[in-house]
Amino acid sequence: MAEKTELIGLSRDELQKALTDIGEKPFRAKQLWQWLYYFGETDFEKMTNLSKVLRQKLSEHFTVTRPKIVAEQLSVDKTRKWLLEFADGQRVEMVYIPEEDRGAVCISTQVGCAVGCRFCHTGSQKLTRNLTTAEIVSQFMVARDTYGEWPSPTNETRYLSNIVVMGMGEPLHNMENVVKALNILTDGDGIAISRRRVTMSTSGIAPHIVEALQRTGVRLAISLHAPNNELRSTIMPINNRYPLEEVLNACRQYQAEDGSRYITFEYLLLDSINDSLDCARQLIALMKKYTLRASFNLIPFNPWPGCAFKPSPNNKVKAFARELENAGFAAPVRVARGQDILAACGQLKSKKDAESK
Ligand code: SF4
């Protein structure tokens, strides 16, 4: 018998084709889509508005799979981290960061990462492979399983309200699968996370920025971390390939298409590297030069073993934030979360990989 097809990760059109290929009517795709993404059902037997014969047929041809949870950590501040394993044994991390009445799920797009940002623990693990569309979508589905958020709750009652594509990997190095996954996650008949509540963060793969956002309608965050090419290239080698001018021009183009779009610039504060007032002033000048509507997300650094950088001291963080705010930019300092549960991205994976060797 032919290998079964995984249904998670198929677009609506692909799902319809999969059904017509086994002799079913196209309208069944809508029903099945609802079972998969609105009810989160993984067992064909429980899809009760489908006939018994059809349920049997579906189980003969298709699978609905979730990644395996290899490890799970819950912080005292309620941040939750999962280590997830796919069918071939590859693993990624996912994190849930709760706020008062909502929260963001941070998902991964690759196993490892080829960008190699010097401050990033994941960047120290070589790229193994891209995640498939199914593997990206099903991470969020695991989070919903854990929090019991099926069927898809209304916007007001949902606890897992936001998605940030900021976990392991550079999303724009896996663009096709990421675009498809985001369109499934935001489809209004299924998981239905509002596009305005999804943020894709990139290290600045300039040629793909505008296209990826046009095809998904999600929000953009740029991992900036330095205000000039010289410094940025030393901590983010990708800057040699796509220098600041190219990245910021793409940002300007993205905003030119829709005046309401704001861009978040992520800025990790590293002691005596990029945390001077002069750096803050250079950042302000850059935003003005490119006329960008921007806010900053200032991130305290989470040191990890073997990393040469240190976190910026509190007084410098405050002064940096004040300088940006005085120039009219929102510049909140991200509250450090999950300090008791291997907070740096990629740390849990490294630990468990080492244990299973
Ligand atoms: S910060 Fe992001 S892009 Fe840079 S190495 Fe880490 S995972 Fe890759």
Side-chain angles (χ1 to χ4, degrees):
M1 191 170 175
E3 207 178 307
K4 293 185 185 181
T5 302
E6 173 61 38
L7 291 182
I8 299 298
L10 297 186
S11 67
R12 277 176 181 264
D13 288 348
E14 288 166 342
L15 186 62
Q16 194 165 311
K17 179 164 184 321
L19 286 171
T20 51
D21 283 352
I22 60 162
E24 288 302 320
K25 295 270 189 288
F27 77 88
R28 293 282 179 213
K30 191 166 183 195
Q31 284 176 307
L32 194 50
W33 184 272
Q34 269 205 330
W35 278 114
L36 298 175
Y37 295 119
Y38 178 74
F39 292 109
E41 189 51 70
T42 56
D43 182 353
F44 293 113
E45 257 321 293
K46 295 189 180 151
M47 300 183 180
T48 45
N49 65 350
L50 307 178
S51 71
K52 195 157 179 41
V53 176
L54 176 55
R55 296 195 313 249
Q56 177 64 29
K57 200 168 167 189
L58 290 174
S59 65
E60 280 162 16
H61 290 88
F62 303 122
T63 53
V64 180
T65 313
R66 297 280 200 269
K68 184 170 135 199
I69 299 173
V70 178
E72 204 174 332
Q73 297 181 321
L74 183 62
S75 160
V76 287
D77 66 17
K78 301 280 191 279
T79 298
R80 187 183 292 265
K81 195 168 208 177
W82 296 260
L83 181 63
L84 302 175
E85 185 175 287
F86 302 111
D88 64 352
Q90 293 299 335
R91 297 167 170 185
V92 296
E93 291 181 6
M94 173 172 70
V95 185
Y96 174 62
I97 307 138
E99 302 292 341
E100 236 167 60
D101 55 350
R102 61 194 185 94
V105 180
C106 177
I107 59 175
S108 295
T109 55
Q110 296 182 304
V111 181
C113 183
V115 173
C117 303
R118 304 266 187 257
F119 48 78
C120 172
H121 193 270
T122 298
S124 68
Q125 303 165 20
K126 298 274 173 269
L127 174 69
T128 305
R129 68 171 175 83
N130 283 339
L131 296 191
T132 64
T133 303
E135 289 166 342
I136 298 168
V137 173
S138 61
Q139 287 172 65
F140 185 74
M141 300 178 90
V142 167
R144 275 219 171 147
D145 293 344
T146 306
Y147 285 85
E149 284 212 332
W150 300 112
S152 290
T154 63
N155 275 328
E156 294 70 46
T157 59
R158 96 180 25 160
Y159 194 50
L160 311 184
S161 59
N162 291 44
I163 295 176
V164 287
V165 187
M166 238 175 244
M168 305 174 78
E170 164 51 61
L172 297 184
H173 277 166
N174 184 15
M175 180 146 118
E176 289 310 315
N177 291 341
V178 170
V179 164
K180 200 167 153 196
L182 292 181
N183 282 318
I184 293 173
L185 290 163
T186 54
D187 186 292
D189 291 333
I191 291 171
I193 298 289
S194 157
R195 290 172 197 272
R196 286 176 296 109
R197 289 181 177 272
V198 180
T199 302
M200 184 175 59
S201 175
T202 173
S203 60
I205 312 301
H208 297 316
I209 288 175
V210 175
E211 186 192 340
L213 296 160
Q214 278 170 340
R215 291 172 62 192
T216 56
V218 302
R219 301 173 75 118
L220 171 65
I222 300 281
S223 292
L224 195 63
H225 310 312
N228 59 61
N229 281 322
E230 196 188 354
L231 178 54
R232 194 164 189 263
S233 294
T234 62
I235 57 176
M236 297 179 73
I238 192 78
N239 193 71
N240 290 313
R241 182 106 188 258
Y242 304 113
L244 275 175
E245 297 75 26
E246 287 183 31
V247 176
L248 297 178
N249 269 325
C251 291
R252 184 155 61 180
Q253 198 185 331
Y254 161 70
Q255 287 192 326
E257 292 181 8
D258 179 346
S260 68
R261 289 171 176 162
Y262 253 75
I263 297 171
T264 305
F265 288 96
E266 311 280 344
Y267 200 98
L268 191 66
L269 285 154
L270 304 167
D271 188 24
S272 303
I273 302 285
N274 63 355
D275 60 349
S276 68
L277 285 183
D278 185 49
C279 282
R281 288 176 195 136
Q282 287 183 50
L283 274 184
I284 295 163
L286 260 191
M287 295 301 120
K288 290 192 173 151
K289 181 174 173 196
Y290 286 87
T291 56
L292 295 172
R293 290 178 300 285
S295 59
F296 291 90
N297 193 5
L298 302 180
I299 309 169
F301 178 57
N302 262 324
W304 41 273
C307 175
F309 299 112
K310 292 197 184 69
S312 200
N314 267 344
N315 59 334
K316 284 171 97 178
V317 171
K318 280 187 188 150
F320 198 95
R322 206 175 315 118
E323 193 72 19
L324 293 173
E325 281 161 1
N326 287 344
F329 295 97
V333 179
R334 189 190 287 175
V335 181
R337 306 297 296 263
Q339 293 299 296
D340 51 330
I341 58 163
L342 301 175
C345 176
Q347 247 185 311
L348 177 59
K349 172 171 159 40
S350 296
K351 180 172 182 276
K352 292 290 172 187
D353 285 354
E355 281 171 10
S356 53
K357 268 179 195 156

